[in-house]
Amino acid sequence: MLLLITSTAFSARLVDPISKEIVFGDFAGSIVPGSTLELIVSKELGKFDSLEVTSTLPEYFDVRVEDYLEAIKIYISASKETPLESYNLDFILKGEYDEERVNIYFSVEEDLLDVSLNNYSAETFVNDTAVYEFSLINNSHGDIEFFIRPNLPWYWLSEKSHAVDYYKKVVVPKKSIVKDTLIISPRVSGERAFNTLISFGNNEKEFSLLVNTKPTFGGKFSAVFNGFPFYSFSLTPSYYLTGVLTLFFG
């Protein structure tokens, strides 16, 4: 009876990504091609001190084991070409007086990631900022990188003094939703539509966004008075009237 209680109390335990005692053939998590599944296995208060992976996964995977004070981590990295199916993993937990053979499985799936747009349009002034918010969704058990690429001139997106290939990288942790923003700075007034591509895993989504940019107060005065030297003095009253009308109604 004592041996049975001890064996039950110190069975192999998965700490992350799913916290549970491991039953033979248990599910351990799901990832998308190109990501990494991180399994954390408890040492059970010193009962186990090492872990050996005994099964061989297909060539699409890279497996490594790292030892820590209270746990052992198994990193399973899947290439972007990994077929979408379930895979078995066998390993042995070893201790000074005991060892335990463990069998688990994980899955490689495709429809675990998504992106939604929270606002498709924004209003701002010339040289000010317009903000668009996205919800980046990661339903997998691995951290995922999302890349946001707007189709706009580089000087609308960066303060650098030369052209750059702009993109924004956002890391979304496993089983989470991250709200992130795209911030642009329009340089001319008017309404403009532009596309933004968001790529994640082996997938991508394109969104059509709209910005309505109003001229600044100073910009309108500049447009009015910068043309004054090209007018004759006899036209000054009508020129000012046109400028004021443009300022408030243009």
Side-chain angles (χ1 to χ4, degrees), residues 14-19 28-30 37-40 141-142 174-175:
L14 186 64
V15 178
D16 199 61
I18 303 172
S19 178
S30 57
L37 179 64
E38 178 183 326
L39 305 175
I40 303 179
H141 290 97
K174 55 183 176 286
K175 288 292 181 180

Side-chain angles (χ1 to χ4, degrees), residues 83-128:
L84 306 177
E85 57 182 90
S86 296
Y87 299 89
N88 285 297
L89 182 73
D90 297 315
F91 59 87
I92 302 175
L93 278 167
K94 297 180 179 181
E96 184 177 359
Y97 303 107
D98 199 3
E99 70 175 35
E100 185 163 345
R101 294 181 177 272
V102 180
N103 170 267
I104 57 176
Y105 80 93
F106 64 94
S107 61
V108 179
E109 304 176 29
E110 186 174 37
D111 300 325
L112 298 174
L113 313 176
D114 202 2
V115 179
S116 64
L117 177 63
N118 298 338
N119 65 302
Y120 81 94
S121 66
E123 193 172 273
T124 187
F125 292 93
V126 174
N127 293 326
D128 205 344

Side-chain angles (χ1 to χ4, degrees), residues 140-156:
S140 78
H141 290 97
D143 296 347
I144 299 295
E145 293 180 344
F146 287 71
F147 297 89
I148 304 173
R149 292 182 172 88
N151 183 21
L152 283 172
W154 63 270
Y155 47 86
W156 283 39

Side-chain angles (χ1 to χ4, degrees), residues 112-118 133-139 144-148 172 177-180 196-201 203-207:
L112 298 174
L113 313 176
D114 202 2
V115 179
S116 64
L117 177 63
N118 298 338
E133 185 181 74
F134 297 90
S135 291
L136 311 177
I137 304 166
N138 179 10
N139 285 318
I144 299 295
E145 293 180 344
F146 287 71
F147 297 89
I148 304 173
V172 181
I177 299 175
V178 170
K179 291 184 178 180
D180 206 274
T196 295
L197 184 70
I198 301 183
S199 55
F200 45 95
N203 300 316
E204 59 184 28
K205 266 191 171 183
E206 190 170 52
F207 296 91

